[in-house]
Each structure stands twice: as C-alpha cells, then as structure tokens.
Amino acid sequence: MFDKVLVANRGEIAVRVMRACEELGIDTVAVYSEADKDSGHVRYADEAYNVGPARAADSYLDHEAVIDAAKKADADAIHPGYGFLAENAEFAGKVEETEGVTWVGPSADAMEQLGEKTHARKTMRDAEVPIVPGTTDPVEDPEEVAAFGDEHGYPVAIKAEGGGGGRGMKVVRGPDEADDQLESAKREGEAYFDNDNVYLERYLENPRHIEVQIVADHHGNVRHLGERDCSLQRRHQKVIEEGPSPALNDELREEIAEAARRGADAAGYTNAGTFEFLVEEDENREDGELLGPDANFYFLEVNTRIQVEHTVTEELTDIDIVKSQLRVAAGEELDFSQDEVELEGHSMEFRINAENAADDFAPATGGTLVTYDPPGGIGVRLDDALRQGDDLVTDYDSMIAKLIVHGADREECIARSKRALAEYDIEGIPTIVPFHRLMLQDDAFVSGTHTTKYLDHTLDPERIAEAQEKWGTETDSAAGDDEEVVEREFTVEVNGKRFEVDLEERGAAAIPAGNAGGASGGQKPRPAGGESGDDSASAADAEGQTVTAEMQGTILDVKVAEGDEVSSGDVVCVLEAMKMENDVVADRGGTVTQVAVGEGDSVDMGDVLIVIE
Ligand code: MV4
C-alpha cells in the first residue's frame, strides 16, 4: 500500500479521500490555490502545497504544478477526486510516466478510449451492451442527419465525440434544424474537446437516468455495486441521487447492472467507474408499478472517475469505494465476489449547494457561515469540508456539503431525510435545503415517477419560492423587495414555557450578523461598483427591461443591434458559460435601446447585456 497520497482536489471530495487514507495509515498531501489557503481540505491534510492563483486553470488544473507538488512531498500516488483533472487522460498519462508516482484511477489508455464516445459505443455494442440506436462513426453532412431522422424519426440527438455530461449535445426536432444544430455541435466539440467529430442517436424524450457503479482490479475481477437513480436533475446538474432506483424491478435492475459489468470487462477497465444508462419510462406506468425487463435501456457513457454520488452506493453496500480505488491502484486484488455484494435498505444523497433555489438557483456570491450546525443521529452521514465561521469560497462550484441518508426502506429513508434536513442549521449563506424539503413532500418525487425532464419542465417554480419563504434563512433577494429587512430572534419565557419569537423590521439599519440574536443571514449584497457587477453596465436602470447574464462567461455572438424590435423569447445573444453555449433570450418584447456587450467580451453573473424598452 502507498505511504503518502497527494489529493489533487479541494472541498468535500478531497477530505473524503483523505479520510480513506487516514484509515489505511497513509499520509495525506493537499494542494491549494490562493483562494483556498484556509479551506477545510488544507486543514485536514498532513501537509499542503500552494499550486497557484485562484483561477483553476492556473492552479488545480496545472499539470506540472500538481506533479511538482507530488515530487516535492515525495508522495507515491495522486488521487484526482472528481472534476478538475479526474477525467483528463493526458494528465493521467503524465502521472503514469512520473517515476515513483501512481495514478489512482483507470489507465490513461482506458480513459482516452472511453472518452471517445464513438469508440465507447462500438466497444459496448460488441459486448452486447445495448446502445441508443444511432451511428458509431462520425457524421459530416446535414443530409445524413435528415436521412437518419427520416428513417428513425425525430427528435435526433447530435453529440460531440469528445462530449459528455450534457456538453456538446444538440437536439434536432425536424429536418430544417439539421444544418444549424450540426454546425453548433461541431463548434462546441471543437472549442471544448479539440475534436469537431459528432455522431447521432435517437433522442429519447423522457428517460430515467440510471447509473451503475463498477470496481475492477488488475487481476481480472470486475464487480458491479448496483445502480443509482439520478433522474432528479436541473440543467444537467444532479440535485438528489438515490439507490436502489424506485422505478426498476429486480429483474431489470440485474439486467442493467450485469450489462455494465460485461461492458467494463470488455473494455479492460480498472479502478472505480460509472456506467450511465437511459431507461425509457412508460407513460402509462401506474403508482406502485415498476419498470420490468421489457423496458428499453441504453448505454450512454462511462464516467472514468469517482463520482459525487458514490456515497449512496457506499451506504447500500458497506463498501468503501475510495479505499477500493487505493487498493486496486496499489495492485491488490478485490477481496469480495459479486455474490458477496449485497444491497441493504435505501439511501439518498442531497447536494447542499450554496444557491438560492427561488432565484433560479443563483449561486451565492460570498458570505460567512455564521451558523453551521449539521444534523446527526442514526442513518445520517455528512461529507463536507467547511466549519462554522468559514468564509464561502466562490471561485469554484457551489456545492459545500453532501447529506447522505440511509434507511431500511425508501419510506424510512424519506422520513429520516425530512428529519435531517429540518435539523440542518445554516446561516450566513443561502442553500438549497428548502428545495430538498420541498422535494420530500412532492408527489412525483415521493412516488418515484419523476424523470430527467421533471425539474426543468414540470415543477412549478412558484412552489420553490414558497419553500424558500417557509424554510429559507434568507430575507433579501428571495423576498423580491429591495427594502432592508432586519430579523432578530428572541427566546421568551411565558408562564415557564419557552417560545422562540422572530421579529422583522423593515427599513431599519442593518445589525451586524453573528450577534447573540443570530441575525438571519442572507446572500451578501453585491458590493456597489464592485467586481460582481450588478451595476457595471451603468446606463442600465429601471427605465428599460434589462437582459442580464445568468452566469459568468464569454459572449460568443450578439444577435441584435440598437433599434431592433424583439419579441419575448427571441435570442438576443449567445453566452458561453460552464463550457456550454447558452442562448440568452428576451423575456419581454420591445425595442433594443442598448447593447452593452460585444462578441468576445467576458461577463460576470448579473452583468447587463441588453436593454429593451
Ligand atoms: C440523451 C438524452 C436523450 N436521448 N441521449 C445529457 C447528459 C449526457 N450524459 C447525455 N444526456 C442525454 N442524452 C439521447 N439519445 C437525454 C439526455 C439528457 C439527460 C440525461 C441524463 C440525465 C439528465 C438529462 C437531462 C437532459 C437530457
């Protein structure tokens, strides 16, 4: 086994990996950026190395800086966690070539081959793992897209060969869209994966998202650890994951898991990985009825890393997947057979994101954890890296913690989750705890009939606003008024009984947070004239309707000019953010009176792009 492991990551997953190391008697090395000098993963590690400035490209993604830190620390392995360098075959290859340092993950070769989606589809087809009907070779010509649509019907998905996780996928609903969508998919593929090859699949309208956890060693042992249901997603971001899936019967469950095991075997896969599938939902499925072996399931892609939601599987199987990764990388043989993998009870993971769900899940722009008092008790696990008093680091993703709940069955798991989320006390930053509490009393989620379309297309946003009002600790942006609201909590005793009293005062001067009364924390107001720029486009005021950037990114294209008439729903510009091209649309019609951005400009979240009167 290794003596010292460098964890090339931050936040909860870095701490998660270090915890496994600690239990195996392995010393831990953290790397950190300037923004993370005081972060939890740095405090947890035995030693820590600064790898550069806040910008991830200059620190956590800097191959040489990370490998240099491993050499300086004399670490004998690098664990990448998820995100950052985890699925970067080039980096894995560099680690493999570094004398004395082992890559904790699949081989660079396997990562590269499975990362090329057409190659992965061929491998799976040959291993008799069902793939979505489509092409296994790249398409070049819009005619081919239309021909495929004619033959197999619309919609057709165009996907980038190097893509995955929702990046580089375009949907074609009719022959007239083939041209534009093909071009856009190729452009995204070129921009993000240096590869403009794209392929086709039949687009499934309303699938469930099921994924199977795999672990495999270097001695030919491949095990599956059952499935997770990740259908509850918002704009390709998972929010709650659970296992076993509430929609599958045992026969179908076994078929999908065994297909994944077969696929991993055929690909010569090692270490931990996840096989993603789409399962076609049956529109006429009754409450309590499950999808059976007649349901269609299709392989989508392999995630060649430990995933955020691996914890769900750990709770069900009692197998520490991170320890398995370390053991396999060190050359040990897996010490359990497939028969010994038993799934017990039901588990759910709730991602605790510092976002305001009522404001379109806007990430917090700063703040301090004035109160951080997480739940505990039977069946409750918390993976996090923050403690009370910490400042929120907003340079990376918004997930600050994961709450993982285990129960004897789904019903107990739901009741326990409600209890745990009600106990979770966080003040100073917004979180999506209220949203999770809403889901636990939502008919579609509780009955397990939700699909990947549910959050983006079906759930009424008004209900999220109500949940935020009821359970949120926020008082400012969620309330939708600009007036300063000061809240104080008092405890009063009347006739020997305690009462908690909340007082609200509107228009009063703010009182500092963190006092004995525990002022309710909200999203920090954006600094006037500050870097996060609500007001950086100064000409935009209450007169016109402003179209603002939903996220930080780069303007790829501006579709309107001053004086143009637009209608509600018209695309006014294209914003590249989070590695995707996003159409920015006018939500009201009118005349464009100002175009505040040009092609190539970088914009921050909240910046004004266009003004319409
Ligand atoms: C699809 C699909 C429907 N049909 N492919 C999105 C993420 C990427 N891994 C693949 N994705 C999809 N591929 C075909 N042929 C629908 C999705 C999809 C989706 C998949 C899983 C979970 C959530 C999703 C949300 C929208 C679209």
mmCIF file of all heavy atoms in Angstrom, residues 354-390:
data_model
loop_
_atom_site.group_PDB
_atom_site.id
_atom_site.type_symbol
_atom_site.label_atom_id
_atom_site.label_comp_id
_atom_site.label_asym_id
_atom_site.label_seq_id
_atom_site.Cartn_x
_atom_site.Cartn_y
_atom_site.Cartn_z
ATOM 1 N N ALA A 354 -24.655 26.088 -2.177
ATOM 2 C CA ALA A 354 -24.856 27.462 -1.711
ATOM 3 C C ALA A 354 -25.494 28.258 -2.843
ATOM 4 O O ALA A 354 -24.837 28.984 -3.575
ATOM 5 C CB ALA A 354 -23.532 28.077 -1.276
ATOM 6 N N GLU A 355 -26.789 28.049 -3.008
ATOM 7 C CA GLU A 355 -27.541 28.681 -4.091
ATOM 8 C C GLU A 355 -28.907 29.075 -3.555
ATOM 9 O O GLU A 355 -29.392 28.461 -2.606
ATOM 10 C CB GLU A 355 -27.757 27.679 -5.244
ATOM 11 C CG GLU A 355 -26.477 27.216 -5.919
ATOM 12 C CD GLU A 355 -26.705 26.022 -6.846
ATOM 13 O OE1 GLU A 355 -27.855 25.517 -6.923
ATOM 14 O OE2 GLU A 355 -25.729 25.584 -7.470
ATOM 15 N N ASN A 356 -29.503 30.054 -4.189
ATOM 16 C CA ASN A 356 -30.870 30.414 -3.857
ATOM 17 C C ASN A 356 -31.805 29.780 -4.892
ATOM 18 O O ASN A 356 -31.918 30.263 -6.008
ATOM 19 C CB ASN A 356 -31.011 31.932 -3.843
ATOM 20 C CG ASN A 356 -32.428 32.361 -3.484
ATOM 21 O OD1 ASN A 356 -33.329 31.524 -3.358
ATOM 22 N ND2 ASN A 356 -32.601 33.650 -3.313
ATOM 23 N N ALA A 357 -32.463 28.698 -4.495
ATOM 24 C CA ALA A 357 -33.314 27.968 -5.435
ATOM 25 C C ALA A 357 -34.443 28.847 -5.957
ATOM 26 O O ALA A 357 -34.875 28.702 -7.095
ATOM 27 C CB ALA A 357 -33.868 26.709 -4.771
ATOM 28 N N ALA A 358 -34.898 29.793 -5.128
ATOM 29 C CA ALA A 358 -36.017 30.647 -5.527
ATOM 30 C C ALA A 358 -35.587 31.708 -6.540
ATOM 31 O O ALA A 358 -36.421 32.329 -7.183
ATOM 32 C CB ALA A 358 -36.634 31.308 -4.296
ATOM 33 N N ASP A 359 -34.288 31.930 -6.669
ATOM 34 C CA ASP A 359 -33.781 32.889 -7.630
ATOM 35 C C ASP A 359 -33.066 32.128 -8.742
ATOM 36 O O ASP A 359 -31.900 32.376 -9.049
ATOM 37 C CB ASP A 359 -32.853 33.885 -6.922
ATOM 38 C CG ASP A 359 -32.345 34.980 -7.862
ATOM 39 O OD1 ASP A 359 -32.923 35.133 -8.963
ATOM 40 O OD2 ASP A 359 -31.373 35.653 -7.498
ATOM 41 N N ASP A 360 -33.773 31.124 -9.297
ATOM 42 C CA ASP A 360 -33.219 30.342 -10.400
ATOM 43 C C ASP A 360 -31.881 29.688 -10.019
ATOM 44 O O ASP A 360 -31.001 29.554 -10.841
ATOM 45 C CB ASP A 360 -33.038 31.247 -11.635
ATOM 46 C CG ASP A 360 -33.237 30.477 -12.923
ATOM 47 O OD1 ASP A 360 -33.868 29.405 -12.880
ATOM 48 O OD2 ASP A 360 -32.728 30.939 -13.962
ATOM 49 N N PHE A 361 -31.796 29.279 -8.767
ATOM 50 C CA PHE A 361 -30.600 28.593 -8.242
ATOM 51 C C PHE A 361 -29.333 29.427 -8.411
ATOM 52 O O PHE A 361 -28.259 28.893 -8.707
ATOM 53 C CB PHE A 361 -30.429 27.207 -8.885
ATOM 54 C CG PHE A 361 -31.459 26.203 -8.449
ATOM 55 C CD1 PHE A 361 -32.758 26.232 -8.964
ATOM 56 C CD2 PHE A 361 -31.162 25.236 -7.498
ATOM 57 C CE1 PHE A 361 -33.730 25.314 -8.556
ATOM 58 C CE2 PHE A 361 -32.115 24.313 -7.084
ATOM 59 C CZ PHE A 361 -33.398 24.353 -7.615
ATOM 60 N N ALA A 362 -29.465 30.745 -8.233
ATOM 61 C CA ALA A 362 -28.288 31.618 -8.359
ATOM 62 C C ALA A 362 -27.279 31.278 -7.259
ATOM 63 O O ALA A 362 -27.633 31.235 -6.081
ATOM 64 C CB ALA A 362 -28.711 33.079 -8.241
ATOM 65 N N PRO A 363 -26.031 31.028 -7.637
ATOM 66 C CA PRO A 363 -25.010 30.726 -6.618
ATOM 67 C C PRO A 363 -24.759 31.934 -5.723
ATOM 68 O O PRO A 363 -24.812 33.074 -6.185
ATOM 69 C CB PRO A 363 -23.763 30.422 -7.445
ATOM 70 C CG PRO A 363 -24.204 30.277 -8.847
ATOM 71 C CD PRO A 363 -25.503 31.000 -9.000
ATOM 72 N N ALA A 364 -24.505 31.689 -4.450
ATOM 73 C CA ALA A 364 -24.148 32.768 -3.525
ATOM 74 C C ALA A 364 -22.873 33.436 -4.025
ATOM 75 O O ALA A 364 -21.985 32.781 -4.563
ATOM 76 C CB ALA A 364 -23.935 32.207 -2.127
ATOM 77 N N THR A 365 -22.795 34.740 -3.842
ATOM 78 C CA THR A 365 -21.626 35.464 -4.327
ATOM 79 C C THR A 365 -20.637 35.746 -3.200
ATOM 80 O O THR A 365 -19.651 36.439 -3.394
ATOM 81 C CB THR A 365 -22.055 36.783 -4.980
ATOM 82 O OG1 THR A 365 -22.921 37.469 -4.062
ATOM 83 C CG2 THR A 365 -22.818 36.527 -6.268
ATOM 84 N N GLY A 366 -20.905 35.223 -2.033
ATOM 85 C CA GLY A 366 -20.000 35.410 -0.901
ATOM 86 C C GLY A 366 -20.742 35.100 0.374
ATOM 87 O O GLY A 366 -21.862 34.592 0.344
ATOM 88 N N GLY A 367 -20.136 35.387 1.498
ATOM 89 C CA GLY A 367 -20.806 35.170 2.769
ATOM 90 C C GLY A 367 -19.951 34.369 3.735
ATOM 91 O O GLY A 367 -18.935 33.802 3.355
ATOM 92 N N THR A 368 -20.372 34.386 4.967
ATOM 93 C CA THR A 368 -19.671 33.662 6.027
ATOM 94 C C THR A 368 -20.651 32.701 6.681
ATOM 95 O O THR A 368 -21.812 33.037 6.867
ATOM 96 C CB THR A 368 -19.153 34.663 7.080
ATOM 97 O OG1 THR A 368 -18.272 35.576 6.437
ATOM 98 C CG2 THR A 368 -18.415 33.947 8.203
ATOM 99 N N LEU A 369 -20.185 31.526 7.014
ATOM 100 C CA LEU A 369 -21.027 30.559 7.712
ATOM 101 C C LEU A 369 -21.160 30.991 9.173
ATOM 102 O O LEU A 369 -20.420 30.546 10.033
ATOM 103 C CB LEU A 369 -20.406 29.170 7.650
ATOM 104 C CG LEU A 369 -20.681 28.318 6.435
ATOM 105 C CD1 LEU A 369 -20.046 26.950 6.612
ATOM 106 C CD2 LEU A 369 -22.184 28.146 6.222
ATOM 107 N N VAL A 370 -22.102 31.898 9.389
ATOM 108 C CA VAL A 370 -22.320 32.431 10.733
ATOM 109 C C VAL A 370 -22.751 31.293 11.669
ATOM 110 O O VAL A 370 -22.303 31.194 12.804
ATOM 111 C CB VAL A 370 -23.403 33.530 10.682
ATOM 112 C CG1 VAL A 370 -23.730 34.031 12.072
ATOM 113 C CG2 VAL A 370 -22.953 34.654 9.775
ATOM 114 N N THR A 371 -23.626 30.444 11.167
ATOM 115 C CA THR A 371 -24.022 29.234 11.888
ATOM 116 C C THR A 371 -23.809 28.054 10.968
ATOM 117 O O THR A 371 -24.169 28.114 9.788
ATOM 118 C CB THR A 371 -25.522 29.281 12.259
ATOM 119 O OG1 THR A 371 -25.780 30.473 12.984
ATOM 120 C CG2 THR A 371 -25.930 28.062 13.082
ATOM 121 N N TYR A 372 -23.195 27.001 11.470
ATOM 122 C CA TYR A 372 -23.146 25.751 10.713
ATOM 123 C C TYR A 372 -23.312 24.611 11.700
ATOM 124 O O TYR A 372 -22.407 24.275 12.450
ATOM 125 C CB TYR A 372 -21.841 25.608 9.930
ATOM 126 C CG TYR A 372 -21.859 24.372 9.036
ATOM 127 C CD1 TYR A 372 -22.696 24.331 7.928
ATOM 128 C CD2 TYR A 372 -21.092 23.249 9.328
ATOM 129 C CE1 TYR A 372 -22.756 23.208 7.117
ATOM 130 C CE2 TYR A 372 -21.143 22.108 8.520
ATOM 131 C CZ TYR A 372 -21.983 22.106 7.412
ATOM 132 O OH TYR A 372 -22.050 20.983 6.620
ATOM 133 N N ASP A 373 -24.499 24.059 11.703
ATOM 134 C CA ASP A 373 -24.853 23.052 12.696
ATOM 135 C C ASP A 373 -25.552 21.904 11.964
ATOM 136 O O ASP A 373 -26.764 21.890 11.807
ATOM 137 C CB ASP A 373 -25.780 23.705 13.737
ATOM 138 C CG ASP A 373 -25.991 22.823 14.944
ATOM 139 O OD1 ASP A 373 -25.409 21.713 14.993
ATOM 140 O OD2 ASP A 373 -26.762 23.231 15.835
ATOM 141 N N PRO A 374 -24.771 20.955 11.443
ATOM 142 C CA PRO A 374 -25.343 19.891 10.626
ATOM 143 C C PRO A 374 -26.055 18.821 11.455
ATOM 144 O O PRO A 374 -25.802 18.702 12.647
ATOM 145 C CB PRO A 374 -24.124 19.291 9.918
ATOM 146 C CG PRO A 374 -22.967 19.627 10.781
ATOM 147 C CD PRO A 374 -23.298 20.878 11.530
ATOM 148 N N PRO A 375 -26.941 18.065 10.817
ATOM 149 C CA PRO A 375 -27.693 17.025 11.524
ATOM 150 C C PRO A 375 -26.822 15.814 11.846
ATOM 151 O O PRO A 375 -25.711 15.690 11.355
ATOM 152 C CB PRO A 375 -28.779 16.644 10.523
ATOM 153 C CG PRO A 375 -28.189 16.947 9.196
ATOM 154 C CD PRO A 375 -27.312 18.143 9.399
ATOM 155 N N GLY A 376 -27.352 14.944 12.676
ATOM 156 C CA GLY A 376 -26.637 13.711 13.042
ATOM 157 C C GLY A 376 -27.644 12.621 13.339
ATOM 158 O O GLY A 376 -28.770 12.664 12.864
ATOM 159 N N GLY A 377 -27.233 11.662 14.105
ATOM 160 C CA GLY A 377 -28.146 10.588 14.502
ATOM 161 C C GLY A 377 -28.121 9.434 13.534
ATOM 162 O O GLY A 377 -27.406 9.438 12.521
ATOM 163 N N ILE A 378 -28.934 8.443 13.816
ATOM 164 C CA ILE A 378 -28.903 7.183 13.073
ATOM 165 C C ILE A 378 -29.161 7.397 11.576
ATOM 166 O O ILE A 378 -30.046 8.161 11.178
ATOM 167 C CB ILE A 378 -29.918 6.174 13.683
ATOM 168 C CG1 ILE A 378 -29.792 4.809 12.996
ATOM 169 C CG2 ILE A 378 -31.341 6.709 13.600
ATOM 170 C CD1 ILE A 378 -30.535 3.700 13.742
ATOM 171 N N GLY A 379 -28.367 6.761 10.753
ATOM 172 C CA GLY A 379 -28.590 6.780 9.308
ATOM 173 C C GLY A 379 -28.201 8.067 8.617
ATOM 174 O O GLY A 379 -28.538 8.257 7.452
ATOM 175 N N VAL A 380 -27.492 8.964 9.314
ATOM 176 C CA VAL A 380 -27.165 10.266 8.724
ATOM 177 C C VAL A 380 -25.656 10.407 8.561
ATOM 178 O O VAL A 380 -24.911 10.203 9.501
ATOM 179 C CB VAL A 380 -27.695 11.425 9.603
ATOM 180 C CG1 VAL A 380 -27.203 12.772 9.081
ATOM 181 C CG2 VAL A 380 -29.218 11.396 9.640
ATOM 182 N N ARG A 381 -25.224 10.708 7.344
ATOM 183 C CA ARG A 381 -23.805 10.902 7.055
ATOM 184 C C ARG A 381 -23.616 12.265 6.409
ATOM 185 O O ARG A 381 -24.414 12.662 5.568
ATOM 186 C CB ARG A 381 -23.325 9.796 6.106
ATOM 187 C CG ARG A 381 -22.018 10.087 5.386
ATOM 188 C CD ARG A 381 -21.570 8.899 4.551
ATOM 189 N NE ARG A 381 -20.404 9.241 3.741
ATOM 190 C CZ ARG A 381 -19.827 8.416 2.870
ATOM 191 N NH1 ARG A 381 -20.322 7.196 2.694
ATOM 192 N NH2 ARG A 381 -18.786 8.789 2.178
ATOM 193 N N LEU A 382 -22.568 12.975 6.805
ATOM 194 C CA LEU A 382 -22.261 14.259 6.198
ATOM 195 C C LEU A 382 -20.876 14.248 5.626
ATOM 196 O O LEU A 382 -19.919 13.968 6.336
ATOM 197 C CB LEU A 382 -22.373 15.375 7.231
ATOM 198 C CG LEU A 382 -23.746 16.000 7.144
ATOM 199 C CD1 LEU A 382 -24.221 16.448 8.462
ATOM 200 C CD2 LEU A 382 -23.743 17.136 6.133
ATOM 201 N N ASP A 383 -20.749 14.533 4.349
ATOM 202 C CA ASP A 383 -19.442 14.722 3.734
ATOM 203 C C ASP A 383 -19.322 16.206 3.439
ATOM 204 O O ASP A 383 -20.080 16.737 2.619
ATOM 205 C CB ASP A 383 -19.333 13.886 2.446
ATOM 206 C CG ASP A 383 -18.996 12.422 2.747
ATOM 207 O OD1 ASP A 383 -19.272 11.972 3.885
ATOM 208 O OD2 ASP A 383 -18.461 11.738 1.854
ATOM 209 N N ASP A 384 -18.406 16.872 4.126
ATOM 210 C CA ASP A 384 -18.239 18.307 3.908
ATOM 211 C C ASP A 384 -16.810 18.693 4.236
ATOM 212 O O ASP A 384 -16.013 17.852 4.655
ATOM 213 C CB ASP A 384 -19.251 19.118 4.749
ATOM 214 C CG ASP A 384 -19.123 18.821 6.238
ATOM 215 O OD1 ASP A 384 -18.064 18.330 6.671
ATOM 216 O OD2 ASP A 384 -20.095 19.091 6.968
ATOM 217 N N ALA A 385 -16.492 19.968 4.019
ATOM 218 C CA ALA A 385 -15.131 20.427 4.330
ATOM 219 C C ALA A 385 -15.159 21.807 4.966
ATOM 220 O O ALA A 385 -14.138 22.454 5.102
ATOM 221 C CB ALA A 385 -14.278 20.445 3.064
ATOM 222 N N LEU A 386 -16.337 22.258 5.338
ATOM 223 C CA LEU A 386 -16.493 23.595 5.906
ATOM 224 C C LEU A 386 -16.848 23.506 7.378
ATOM 225 O O LEU A 386 -17.472 22.534 7.805
ATOM 226 C CB LEU A 386 -17.665 24.312 5.223
ATOM 227 C CG LEU A 386 -17.459 24.927 3.856
ATOM 228 C CD1 LEU A 386 -18.806 25.213 3.232
ATOM 229 C CD2 LEU A 386 -16.662 26.211 3.965
ATOM 230 N N ARG A 387 -16.491 24.505 8.110
ATOM 231 C CA ARG A 387 -16.889 24.585 9.509
ATOM 232 C C ARG A 387 -17.452 25.965 9.806
ATOM 233 O O ARG A 387 -17.207 26.910 9.051
ATOM 234 C CB ARG A 387 -15.687 24.305 10.429
ATOM 235 C CG ARG A 387 -15.199 22.848 10.363
ATOM 236 C CD ARG A 387 -16.242 21.878 10.909
ATOM 237 N NE ARG A 387 -15.874 20.470 10.721
ATOM 238 C CZ ARG A 387 -16.322 19.677 9.739
ATOM 239 N NH1 ARG A 387 -17.155 20.151 8.830
ATOM 240 N NH2 ARG A 387 -15.955 18.431 9.679
ATOM 241 N N GLN A 388 -18.191 26.073 10.927
ATOM 242 C CA GLN A 388 -18.775 27.345 11.315
ATOM 243 C C GLN A 388 -17.686 28.417 11.377
ATOM 244 O O GLN A 388 -16.597 28.152 11.882
ATOM 245 C CB GLN A 388 -19.464 27.196 12.670
ATOM 246 C CG GLN A 388 -20.152 28.461 13.142
ATOM 247 C CD GLN A 388 -21.198 28.153 14.198
ATOM 248 O OE1 GLN A 388 -22.112 27.374 13.969
ATOM 249 N NE2 GLN A 388 -21.056 28.763 15.359
ATOM 250 N N GLY A 389 -17.999 29.590 10.863
ATOM 251 C CA GLY A 389 -17.017 30.677 10.872
ATOM 252 C C GLY A 389 -16.249 30.805 9.566
ATOM 253 O O GLY A 389 -15.656 31.847 9.303
ATOM 254 N N ASP A 390 -16.268 29.758 8.744
ATOM 255 C CA ASP A 390 -15.547 29.815 7.464
ATOM 256 C C ASP A 390 -16.213 30.791 6.501
ATOM 257 O O ASP A 390 -17.436 30.915 6.476
ATOM 258 C CB ASP A 390 -15.521 28.434 6.783
ATOM 259 C CG ASP A 390 -14.513 27.481 7.417
ATOM 260 O OD1 ASP A 390 -13.797 27.904 8.354
ATOM 261 O OD2 ASP A 390 -14.450 26.325 6.989
#
